Amino acid sequence: MKGRYLSLAASGAALCLTAVTLTGCGALGGVTGDNDVTLRVVAADYGDNPQNSSAGYWKGLAKGFEKANPGVKVEVSVYSWSEVDAKVADMVKAGKAPDIAQIGAYADYAAAGKLYSAAELLSVKTEADFLAPLADAGKVKQVQYGLPFVSSTRLLFYNEKLLADAGVIGKDAKAGWQPKSWADLEAAAKKLKGAGVPTPFALPLGREEAQAETMMWMLAGGGGYTDNEESYSIDSPDNVKALEFLRDKMVGQGLTGPVEPGKLDRQAAFDGFTKGEVGMLNGHPSLMKQAEAKGVKFGMVPLPTATGSAEPAMGVADWVMAFKNGHRTQSGKFLDYLYEPKNVTAFTDMYDLLPATTSGYLAKQGATGGSAPQLKPFLTALPGSRLYPVGKKSWAGVSEDIKQNIGKTVQPGGQPAKVLEEIATAARASDPR
C-alpha cells in the first residue's frame, strides 16, 4: 500500500537493526564464512512515530529466526515509505542488492531476472497459503515472484449523523444503510446537499491516489484496468460510463463539494470526513481510527455498483521479494518463518491491516478483540478483490499517467472516452504483447 494509506512513516532516517541490538547500517553483502550466512533484509516502516516503528517487529522476528536457525544471521534496515523503494533501487544499481526486500513493487526486478521465484524459495505449505488474488497479482508471465506481505480493501464510509439528519437513514442509525446502485448513491448525495452538507460525496482524484479512486469506480461499473492479467482495457465502454456518471451525476450536480476532484487528495478527503464536513467517501481501514479519534460515528458498506449487481472490490498489497544473491536456501527458510501465522497476525494486528495468507485471514476472521469486528467487512471483501496490474513492468508509468490526467474526465465538459483512449494507447505501447 505504499504511496497510499501506509505511507505514514515520518522519519527520513533508516532504522538499522540486528536480532539483538540496533546497529549502524553496513554494506549489503553476502557470506560471512563457510558455514555462516548473514541475510540482509530491507523493509518499509509502517509506523508514524518511533514508538510504533516497524523496526521493533523485525528485530523480534530476526531474533526468533536466528534462534531456530543457528549459523544464519539476519540484519534488517527499516526505511520510511518515502525512501525505501529508492534505497533498494540504488542498492541494486550498485550491485549490492539485499537478500530480501519488503517494498511496494517487484515487477521491474522480476523482469530483469534478478529475483528468485516463489517456487524456488518457499515450502509447498507456505506457497499454497497465499490468498489467490494476491498470489496472482504477484506473477510475471504466470510465475510468482512477488510475495504479498499485507493487504487492504476499500469500502464506502458514511457519516451516520449527517445521513440521519438528511433523512437518508433513521435517526437511531441502528439499521444502517444498504445502498445497492449508483442511483441510491446519487439520491443520498442530493439529500445531503439539501441538508447543507459541504461535501456530500468526496471524490479524491488528486495525485495522491487517483489511480485507486478511479479503479474503485471502474470495478463498480463492471470494468477495470485490465480484462485479465494480460491486456489493458482502460478505455472499455464500462470504464467510460463510470466516469461519465461521475462527471454528469456527481460533479455536474454539485454533489462532490467545493474542491475540484482533480485537486483533492485522499488525506484531505479523510480530514474533511473526520471534521464532519463530508457525508460519504471511499476509504480504507486507517480511516476508522482517524474518525474514531475525532468522535465521528460512521458506517461502512461496499461501494454500490452501476446496476446493483455484485462486483469485486479493489484490493491493495505490498510485496516481499528475494534477490538472487546465492542465499536461496537461507532466504527461503526466513520467508517461511515470516509467513508463519503467528508472525503474520502479529504484524497485521499492530497496524490494523489485512493478512495476505489464508491462515492469517482465518485467524483475523475468528478474532473478537480489538478492532477485528470492524475489520470484518474489509476481510469479507478481500478474497474476491481485484488488485492493480502490478505484475506489469509498465504499471508504474501507467499509474502516473492516470494520476496526471484522470481528473480532467469529470470536469464540466470533460471527455472520458478521449482521455481514457489516450491513457490506454500509451499503456499498450509500453506493454507490447
Side-chain angles (χ1 to χ4, degrees), residues 289-319:
K289 281 189 175 180
Q290 294 179 36
E292 288 167 353
K294 298 291 186 178
V296 176
K297 293 189 178 299
F298 59 89
M300 300 178 298
V301 294
L303 177 65
T305 63
T307 62
S309 60
E311 299 289 353
M314 187 189 78
V316 179
D318 293 328
W319 303 95

Side-chain angles (χ1 to χ4, degrees), residues 9 33 215 234:
M215 183 172 173
I234 297 169

Side-chain angles (χ1 to χ4, degrees), residues 401-416:
D401 200 359
I402 293 166
K403 289 179 182 181
Q404 290 182 3
N405 295 296
I406 206 69
K408 302 173 186 175
T409 65
V410 300
Q411 294 174 344
Q415 299 178 282

